[in-house]
Amino acid sequence: MNQASPAPSGVAPAEVDSVVQPDPLRPFAPVVAPAANTLTASNPLGHTPSTLSARVAGPAGALPGHRPQATAPVVDALGGLKQRAAAALFDRMGSRFSDASVSEEELRKTAKEELSAVIDEEQVPLSPEERRRLIREIADEVMGYGPLQRLLEDPSITEIMVNSSEQIYVERKGRLTLTDLHFTSDDHLRQVIERIVSKVGRRIDESSPLVDARLEDGSRVNAIIPPLAVNGPSLTIRKFAQVPITVNDLLGWGSLTPEMAELLDACVKARLNIIVSGGTGTGKTTMLNVVSGFIPEDDRIVTIEDAVELQLQQAHVVRLESRPANIEGKGAIGIRELLKNSLRMRPDRIIVGECRGGEALDMLQAMNTGHDGSLSTVHANSPRDAIARLETLVLMAGMDLPLRAIREQIASAVDLIIQLTRMRDGSRRVTHVTEVQGMEGEIITLQDAFLFDYSAGMDAQGRFLGRPVATGIRPRFLDRFEELGIQVSPGVFATAHHGGARR
Ligand SMILES: Nc1ncnc2c1ncn2[C@@H]1O[C@H](COP(=O)(O)OP(=O)(O)O)[C@@H](O)[C@H]1O
Ligand SMILES: [Mg+2]
C-alpha cells in the first residue's frame, strides 16, 4: 500500500506553524445547535455584580461609547430600532441582569415591559406582529448570549473569537472571517461573559480577570477582561464537536495513514503506554480520543481532564474533571489529586487529557506499576522535545529526583510517542510515530517507525503532498505483539528502500 510514497530522504524539521492560517483541511466540526441555551442571569452561587456591571445601573448614557449610532439607513429602520432599544434596555435594566434574587421568568417579564416603553418612546409605527417579534428578538439578544447566540447555533462555525464588543471573528473550515455582528456595548459583552462564567460557579472581575468556563453544550470558553485585556473584554469559544472526529476523518484528511492506524490500534490493544505530542491546536486531544477508541470494550477506563473534552464511546468509562478554586480561592482539586485517586478506582487504563505539571510523575509511576496501556498528551514540537518536556514536568512534582532516575522512569514508562504538527499549509498531520526504546548511557533512545515525508513537495495551492511513511525499522514492541498474539499486516512496515535515522 506504500508503493506510491517515495522514501522520506529529505525529512525536514517539523514545519511548525505559529501563525494563524487558513486551514483547508480543517473539518466543519459538526455542532448541534445547543437546544436550550437558556443561561439565566440568576446566580446560584450568590455571585455579586462586579463594579463594572454595577456601573451600568448608573444614569443612562453616562458610559462613553454606550450609545449606538442613531443614523440607521431607512431600509434598516427596524435594525436600527432594535439596536437602540437593546442599548436602552441595557441602561434601564443595569445590574438587575445579574441579580441572583430575580428569577429568569421575572427578568424576562421586566425586560419586556422596559422594552415596550422604549419602543413607545421611539414612536416608530409597528404592526402588533412586528412589535412582538422585535421584543422577542431583543430579549433573546440581551438575555441570552447576545450576538453569539446565532454563531453558537451555526454548525459550520468551529471557533468564535470576540476581540472587543465591536469585533467578532469566527472560524469556518479553518478560515478566519470577521463577522458584521457586535455587542451593544462593552457592558453588554461583560454581561454575557459574567452570565457564562457564573453558570459554572466562577467569577470574573478586576481581581480575577481571566476565567476558563464551559457552556452547557461542552464548548470551551476563555474570557479575559481589562486591565489584562487592553481593548476591553475578550472572549474565545472553541465549539464542541457533538459528533466526535473519527479515525476515518483523520484518514480522509491525510493526518494519518491506514498503515499507521492499524499499527496504533495494535499498540493500544497491546497495552503500550502512549504519549500524543504536539503544539497548541495541533489536534492532540482529537488524536487521544481517536486512539482511545481502540481500547477494548471490557477495559475499565478512567479519564482525567481539566475540562472534559474526551468523548469515549466505550460503556465502561469514569470521567473525572479537575476543579478550580472557588470564589474564596479554596477547594481546588488538581489533575494530580485526581490521578492519585484514580489509582484507587481499579482502572485498567488511565487517560490523562494533558500533562502539564507535576502529575507527569504520578502518571509515569502509574504506567510503570501495572496501569499500562495508559494514554496522555504533552505540549512539545518533536518526540525528543516531548521527552525533555516530560523531564521538566516531573521536576515540577518537586520530588528532587536525580535526572537519571527521571529518565529511567520515562524510558520504562513510555512506549510510543505520536507527534502531531500543524503544517505551514494549515493541515494537521502525524509527523512521527516514535518508539521509546530505553536508555543508552544517560540518553533515552528513540526510534522512528513512521516519519512525515516532505520530499513529495507541495501542490499549486501550497499544500503538502507528502504523508507519513514507514521508516522500515522494525519496532521492538513487535515482540510484545507476538507474545500477545496481536497481528499487524506485513504491509504496515513496508517501505521503499531506506532506514529512518536512529536519533
Ligand atoms: N487531524 C485534524 N485535521 C483537521 N482538523 C483537526 C484535526 N485534529 C483536530 N482538528 C481540529 O483542530 C482543533 C484543535 O484540536 P484539538 O484536538 O483540540 O487540539 P489540541 O488538543 O492539540 O489543542 C479542533 O477544532 C479540531 O476539531
Ligand atoms: Mg487539547
Side-chain angles (χ1 to χ4, degrees), residues 293-305:
F294 299 135
I295 298 176
E297 262 299 324
D298 43 8
D299 277 358
R300 174 170 165 81
I301 307 169
V302 179
T303 68
I304 301 169
E305 295 174 88

Side-chain angles (χ1 to χ4, degrees), residues 8 433 447-451 469-474 493-495 497-501:
V433 174
Q447 176 62 57
D448 299 319
F450 283 84
L451 279 177
V469 295
T471 57
I473 305 228
R474 192 179 176 279
F493 295 105
T495 176
H497 45 262
H498 61 82

Side-chain angles (χ1 to χ4, degrees), residues 81 119 126 130-138:
L81 171 60
I119 293 171
L126 291 174
E130 281 173 326
R131 191 187 172 90
R132 258 197 308 276
R133 209 191 67 212
L134 194 67
I135 290 183
R136 196 189 54 231
E137 283 180 12
I138 297 171

Side-chain angles (χ1 to χ4, degrees), residues 15-226:
E15 304 276 335
V16 182
D17 170 15
S18 56
V19 221
V20 182
Q21 277 190 358
D23 175 359
L25 287 188
R26 180 87 173 266
F28 323 62
V31 177
V32 172
N37 265 328
T38 49
L39 273 198
T40 64
S42 59
N43 181 347
L45 294 186
H47 147 68
T48 43
S50 69
T51 46
L52 230 188
S53 61
R55 268 206 286 142
V56 187
L63 293 171
H66 199 68
R67 296 263 132 222
Q69 301 84 350
T71 52
V74 190
V75 280
D76 198 22
L78 260 184
L81 171 60
K82 201 169 146 183
Q83 276 266 318
R84 290 194 299 281
L89 175 65
F90 226 77
D91 282 343
R92 293 167 86 123
M93 297 284 293
S95 60
R96 276 184 286 166
F97 274 128
S98 47
D99 184 345
S101 61
V102 184
S103 76
E104 163 94 26
E105 219 173 300
E106 267 175 83
L107 201 63
R108 281 210 171 247
K109 195 163 153 278
T110 320
K112 285 191 176 162
E113 284 163 12
E114 295 281 1
L115 210 48
S116 261
V118 172
I119 293 171
D120 288 342
E121 281 163 28
E122 285 262 347
Q123 296 186 327
V124 180
L126 291 174
S127 71
E129 168 54 27
E130 281 173 326
R131 191 187 172 90
R132 258 197 308 276
R133 209 191 67 212
L134 194 67
I135 290 183
R136 196 189 54 231
E137 283 180 12
I138 297 171
D140 281 352
E141 185 133 316
V142 176
M143 315 259 312
Y145 294 128
L148 300 182
Q149 194 72 44
R150 72 183 90 159
L151 303 178
L152 287 165
E153 285 167 8
D154 180 343
S156 69
I157 292 174
T158 47
E159 216 136 337
I160 304 170
M161 290 141 279
V162 181
N163 293 353
S164 69
S165 55
E166 313 251 284
Q167 202 185 39
I168 305 177
Y169 281 87
V170 292
E171 184 176 305
R172 266 196 194 90
K173 288 190 247 168
R175 264 170 221 283
L176 295 186
T177 44
L178 179 62
T179 66
D180 54 7
L181 302 172
H182 39 91
F183 288 84
T184 312
S185 62
D186 273 5
D187 296 311
H188 182 200
L189 171 53
R190 250 312 263 277
Q191 289 284 356
V192 170
I193 292 176
E194 283 182 16
R195 212 167 288 151
I196 291 171
V197 304
S198 68
K199 254 301 213 209
V200 291
R202 313 283 320 268
R203 135 184 113 165
I204 190 160
D205 59 22
E206 283 68 14
S207 65
S208 55
L210 46 98
V211 168
D212 282 316
R214 186 153 36 86
L215 302 183
E216 286 126 325
D217 72 347
S219 299
R220 271 170 62 173
V221 179
N222 174 268
I224 182 161
I225 61 167

